[in-house]
Every structure is written in structure tokens, then in C-alpha cells.
Amino acid sequence: MADVLRELKRVAAAMSDAGLEGVLIGNAAAALHGAPVGTTDLDFFVRSGGLTRKKILAVAEKLSRKKILAVSEKLGGVAIQPFAPVSYRYRIEGTPFPIDMVLVAHGIHSFDGLRRRSTVLPLGSGGRAVYVAALQDVIKSKRASARPKDLAVLSILEETLNEKERQEKA
Amino acid sequence: MKKSGKKRLSRRAMLRALRREADEAELAHIRERLALPMIKRTNFMFVKLPGGGYAL
């Protein structure tokens, strides 16, 4: 079985060391909130700024086993932008699972708002933690994105949210 | 031959029962996951297999 916790710890440590702020979004966040869904990658919505690209590459260099794969410029590391310049998504490869760092996502308007509504998942000793986007935000983003694979899981995410709210009220 | 006393269900009724059963199973699955702390809900990653396909 894939060791998600170990990988999350590694990612949290690398992001913290690089000064990169991020919130886990997508199906991984939904699954941590209890939705019975699976995924093949970890998606992080990261705070955008002048040094973001440099920070993402620093994270990539720390996490990845591969050496050079930078696509648009030969910066080293393994962060690639497969759909640049139309997409703001960086993909880190050479890790146990691909990790996506996105600067823009459907339905998410502010990094601060997303982080404020998120849940902090402590990752054991060492003070590392991961911000996990609220299930409402994941649903909102998937609905706004409206890709078939996002729409396919919407009903199960909504059912999880309803059940969670029912249990909180009870 | 003796006929059984059971009434045969219509196809529509059988499909309705199947749907209800699937919905209840899904809800039970969600409840099981919600009963766990967040740190234990981590078996969600599929890993690509070298020969193709995915595994948990």
C-alpha cells in the first residue's frame, strides 16, 4: 500500500524549508475529509508571489529522485509545466506519487480564504502539518471546473458533506 | 408441478431495490470513514503499476 502519510510529511517538510505555503486540494483533500474517493496525485494550491517558481523548484529538488526534467528553462529539479504557458500547474515527478502545485484553480479566488477555512492535519512529531482544504471548497472547485472526472465524484462528495453536517448537528 | 408462493418482482422493483441497496452501502462506507480520525483516512492513493493499470 502506498504510504501517503510518509509522503505528506516529506512534502510538508520540503515546502516549509522552501518557504512555500500551500493547501492540499482535490480528491486527496476530499478523502481526508472522509469521502470514499481515490486519486493518483497530490494537488496543492500554493500562494502566488514573485519567488513561487523558485520555491517550487526547491521543493522539487528536495523531494524527487530524478535529476533534471525542467521543461521550459533549464533550472534543474524536476518541476515541469506540461501545459505552459496556458496552465499555471507545476508537476513534480520522480516522487512516489506525482505532486501538482497550482497557482490558479477553478472556484478558488483567494489563498488566504482557502487556508482560513481549511483543517490543519498535524503530521506527528517535528511540528509538520498540512493544510487540508475544506470539503465545501473542494466541491466548489470541482463544480466550477466541470470536467467529466470532477463531475463524476461530485455526488459522492456532496453526500459525504451532508452526512458530516448531519453528524455534527446530532 | 407445485408453484412457489413467492410473488415475482417486476424488473423495475428489482432495479429500485438494487439502487437502494447500493445507496445504503455507499452511506455505510462514508460513515465508516467519518468514524476514523483524519490521520487514519489515508488509503486513497492509487499507484501506477509498471505494466499498466493502478493499485491501491
Side-chain angles (χ1 to χ4, degrees):
Chain A
M1 188 182 282
D3 195 343
V4 179
L5 264 187
R6 194 174 61 190
E7 194 55 16
L8 279 176
K9 278 181 196 170
R10 260 176 21 103
V11 177
M15 287 174 74
S16 165
D17 291 348
L20 183 67
E21 297 173 86
V23 178
L24 186 67
I25 57 170
N27 274 356
L32 286 169
H33 281 295
V37 292
T39 183
T40 56
D41 52 23
L42 297 172
D43 299 319
F44 284 89
F45 186 82
V46 296
R47 188 192 285 282
S48 184
L51 294 171
T52 304
R53 186 190 171 89
K54 213 172 171 181
K55 289 176 181 176
I56 290 174
L57 285 172
V59 171
E61 273 172 333
K62 202 152 213 178
L63 291 178
S64 181
R65 291 188 298 265
K66 290 185 187 172
K67 277 297 164 206
I68 291 183
L69 227 156
V71 166
S72 29
E73 292 164 44
K74 292 198 173 173
L75 288 168
V78 294
I80 60 169
Q81 275 191 287
F83 303 108
V86 287
S87 158
Y88 295 92
R89 181 163 70 98
Y90 289 83
R91 167 154 285 211
I92 298 176
E93 290 183 344
T95 44
F97 331 109
I99 298 162
D100 285 341
M101 302 277 178
V102 298
L103 305 171
V104 175
H106 289 93
I108 300 173
H109 304 296
S110 128
F111 177 84
D112 288 322
L114 180 74
R115 194 168 66 174
R116 199 173 46 246
R117 293 185 294 274
S118 68
T119 304
V120 179
L121 172 64
L123 298 167
S125 57
R128 306 291 187 198
V130 164
Y131 288 94
V132 182
L135 193 51
Q136 288 92 332
D137 282 317
V138 177
I139 291 171
K140 194 175 157 195
S141 177
K142 286 195 178 286
R143 191 175 288 130
S145 156
R147 294 177 302 177
K149 71 172 189 171
D150 293 324
L151 297 177
V153 294
L154 255 187
S155 68
I156 202 156
L157 300 191
E158 284 166 343
E159 201 176 332
T160 307
L161 181 62
N162 290 341
E163 180 58 24
K164 212 174 171 181
E165 287 174 347
R166 251 199 310 269
Q167 289 186 5
E168 280 165 5
K169 271 183 203 165
Chain B
M1 201 160 67
K2 206 176 170 185
K3 274 191 175 178
S4 94
K6 280 185 186 170
K7 198 180 165 188
R8 196 161 182 263
L9 284 173
S10 69
R11 181 175 160 76
R12 185 179 288 183
M14 281 195 284
L15 289 175
R16 206 168 36 232
L18 195 64
R19 176 67 191 254
R20 207 166 132 186
E21 196 179 61
D23 286 348
E24 280 173 14
E26 190 179 279
L27 192 58
H29 193 183
I30 290 171
R31 285 179 179 150
E32 268 174 35
R33 291 189 67 90
L34 286 176
L36 296 169
M38 192 182 252
I39 199 91
K40 298 271 181 196
R41 299 174 194 150
T42 51
N43 57 337
F44 56 82
M45 289 300 298
F46 292 106
V47 178
K48 275 187 187 172
L49 298 173
Y54 292 91
L56 259 180

